[in-house]
Amino acid sequence: MPKTGMEPIRRKALTDAAIEAIGARGSMDVTMSDIAGRAGVSPALAHHYFGSKEQLITASVRALLSDLRADTVEALRKARTNRARVSAIIAVSFSEEQFSDDVVGAWLAFYVIAQRAPDIRRLLSIYSRRLHSNLMSGLTPLAGAHDAERIAEGAAAMIDGLYIRKALGTGPARHDAVALVEDHIETQLLEIRGRTL
C-alpha cells in the first residue's frame, strides 16, 4: 500500500531529478529509468505519476517556473523602491539555485525541445512575459513606458545570453553576471536622466 501523503513528495523528487538529469546531460537524452533512479523510485512509479517522459518534462518546466515565481514574489515583496524592484528581479535570475549548472543546462535543453513541443513553448513564453512584466513594473516609473520597454528587452536578452554562455562554460560567475546586467540598466537610466536635464 502506498504511504499517505507520499505522492507530492515523490512528484517533487521526480521533477527535481528530471531537471538534474537533463541539466547534467545538456539534452533530453535521458530515460524515465535514469530519472527514476536519481529520484530513488522505480520507473514504474515514475510512469504511474506522470504517464510519459514528455509529461514529466512538462511538469519539470512548471516546477522550475513555480520556484522562480515564488522566489521573485518574495524578492519583490522586500523591494522598497522601483529601482530595488529591478535589482531584485536580476538577483533572482542569477540566484545560486537558478544559475546552477544543472538548472542552466536544463533551461537550455527545454528551449531546444520547445521548438517541437507546444506545451513547453507555451510555458517558456509565460516565463518570458513574466520577466518582461516584472522588469517593466520597476522600470516604467523610472524611465517612462517607451524607454522602459527598450531597457527591459535589453536586460532580458542579457539574462538569456548569460545563461547560454554559462551553459557553454564561458560565462561569468553569478555576481559578475548580476553586475553586467545592473551596469546595462544603470547606464540606460543615466542616459535618460541626462536627456531630461
Side-chain angles (χ1 to χ4, degrees):
M1 292 288 287
K3 294 180 184 173
T4 304
M6 286 303 291
E7 182 174 346
I9 294 166
R10 287 183 174 146
R11 282 181 171 273
K12 172 83 167 106
L14 283 160
T15 56
D16 288 349
I19 292 163
E20 183 183 307
I22 292 164
R25 185 72 55 95
S27 75
M28 296 295 164
D29 189 23
V30 295
T31 65
M32 284 291 261
S33 292
D34 296 333
I35 295 167
R38 283 179 185 260
V41 301
S42 71
L45 193 60
H47 281 286
H48 170 73
Y49 286 139
F50 292 102
S52 68
K53 186 174 94 169
E54 290 73 24
Q55 290 172 317
L56 174 53
I57 288 168
T58 301
S60 299
V61 175
R62 280 197 184 99
L64 265 181
L65 289 174
S66 178
D67 290 346
L68 180 61
R69 184 166 191 255
D71 291 348
T72 301
V73 167
E74 179 63 19
L76 290 175
R77 187 182 64 75
K78 295 176 183 174
R80 298 290 177 237
T81 65
N82 288 312
R83 184 63 181 87
R85 287 179 68 80
V86 176
S87 291
I89 294 156
I90 295 166
V92 167
S93 295
F94 296 106
S95 68
E96 192 169 336
E97 181 178 315
Q98 287 297 322
F99 208 52
S100 69
D101 290 340
D102 286 345
V103 171
V104 168
W107 273 117
L108 291 184
F110 294 148
Y111 271 99
V112 169
I113 195 139
Q115 296 173 66
R116 59 183 189 277
D119 287 346
I120 304 295
R121 185 169 49 249
R122 183 181 58 78
L123 290 170
L124 294 177
S125 293
I126 290 169
Y127 155 73
S128 181
R129 288 194 304 270
R130 257 189 218 153
L131 175 61
H132 184 265
S133 174
N134 286 331
L135 287 167
M136 289 293 288
S137 74
L139 287 168
T140 300
L142 299 172
H146 176 73
D147 284 319
E149 182 79 32
R150 181 178 51 79
I151 297 167
E153 283 297 318
M158 286 185 77
I159 291 167
D160 290 344
L162 289 164
Y163 267 67
I164 291 169
R165 288 182 60 194
K166 165 92 168 172
L168 295 173
T170 61
R174 273 185 331 108
H175 293 63
D176 294 331
V178 169
L180 283 167
V181 182
E182 286 283 3
D183 183 62
H184 163 73
I185 300 280
E186 199 54 39
T187 300
Q188 297 300 311
L189 291 176
L190 282 170
E191 181 185 310
I192 290 163
R193 287 183 207 120
R195 288 198 318 250
T196 59
L197 293 178

